Amino acid sequence: MATETGFAAFDSSRKLKSVNQAFLDLITGDGATPDNVMDCDCEDLLARILRSFDQLDGAPLHASDPEAQTPGDTYPALIARWAASESGPMEALGADGRWHLLTSHPRYDGGTTFIAVDISARKEAELAQRDSDEMLRLITDSHPLPVWVADIETGEIIYESLSASNMLGRNWDPGKPQFIAGHYLR
């Protein structure tokens, strides 16, 4: 599956100068096209896009409590964060269930280009891996026999079950490298 990349380039006066449809497709139910948004203000267009996201870096964007602060109050701060290239990429979950990696890049003319890459396939793979890891952990932690998972090339222990730690009479410290060869005599 091809990765879909959207972009929007703004000049130094924060007016839109170039955009592709993939970027505008982030705005749900809007029908925006490159022709009808040209010269749009940066903050206006990016706020429309942010309204289409449910989460940004794992935090919900829309308060379920009507008494809570409205997300509209936070859009200028979120736009500034997206525009700060030194803060690194942000992950956004759209209302449509697709994930996007958001970055910005300064332009030679003093403007900014905003990029949105569809990373849905990668996020699905990450979630599947996390579920698989959790299943392995549940099985090995409840199994009475000792279990080690070690890197075959280095011999470093990547995972040690509770029964393996108990058998060796020590506490497992994942921050301290352990090697399987160090336990052969035990």
Side-chain angles (χ1 to χ4, degrees), residues 10-185:
F10 296 88
D11 64 14
S12 60
S13 64
R14 314 277 289 167
K15 296 294 180 190
L16 182 64
K17 293 302 166 193
S18 182
V19 65
N20 69 353
Q21 191 61 49
F23 194 82
L24 296 176
D25 287 346
L26 297 173
I27 307 169
T28 53
D30 192 294
T33 66
D35 292 334
N36 67 18
V37 296
M38 206 49 62
D39 288 326
C40 181
D41 181 67
C42 178
E43 283 73 20
D44 291 341
L45 184 60
L46 296 183
R48 287 165 62 188
I49 287 173
L50 288 170
R51 281 187 204 99
S52 296
F53 293 136
D54 286 343
Q55 289 182 22
L56 194 60
D57 283 342
L61 284 178
H62 307 289
S64 57
D65 178 7
E67 300 296 318
Q69 180 183 11
T70 61
D73 295 338
T74 63
Y75 288 139
L78 293 173
I79 291 166
R81 188 168 145 219
W82 187 358
S85 57
E86 67 276 358
S87 67
M90 298 186 302
E91 287 187 353
L93 174 62
D96 60 2
R98 293 185 309 153
W99 286 91
H100 300 280
L101 190 66
L102 308 177
T103 60
S104 68
H105 309 275
R107 292 169 39 103
Y108 67 91
D109 63 357
T112 305
T113 298
F114 293 87
I115 306 287
V117 179
D118 188 328
I119 58 168
S120 299
R122 186 189 88 187
K123 289 299 284 188
E124 288 174 20
E126 284 177 10
L127 293 172
Q129 182 64 49
R130 192 175 309 140
D131 289 346
S132 176
D133 292 348
E134 184 61 26
M135 182 61 72
L136 175 66
R137 192 173 339 281
L138 286 171
I139 292 169
T140 57
D141 282 351
S142 63
H143 197 279
L145 294 176
V147 176
W148 289 276
V149 176
D151 183 307
I152 198 159
E153 291 179 11
T154 66
E156 183 176 357
I157 299 172
I158 299 168
Y159 171 79
E160 179 178 77
S161 69
L162 181 59
S163 58
S165 293
N166 291 339
M167 183 181 86
L168 296 174
R170 66 181 183 87
N171 292 326
W172 171 244
D173 181 5
K176 181 180 173 191
Q178 297 284 331
F179 295 89
I180 198 75
H183 303 289
Y184 284 160
L185 292 177

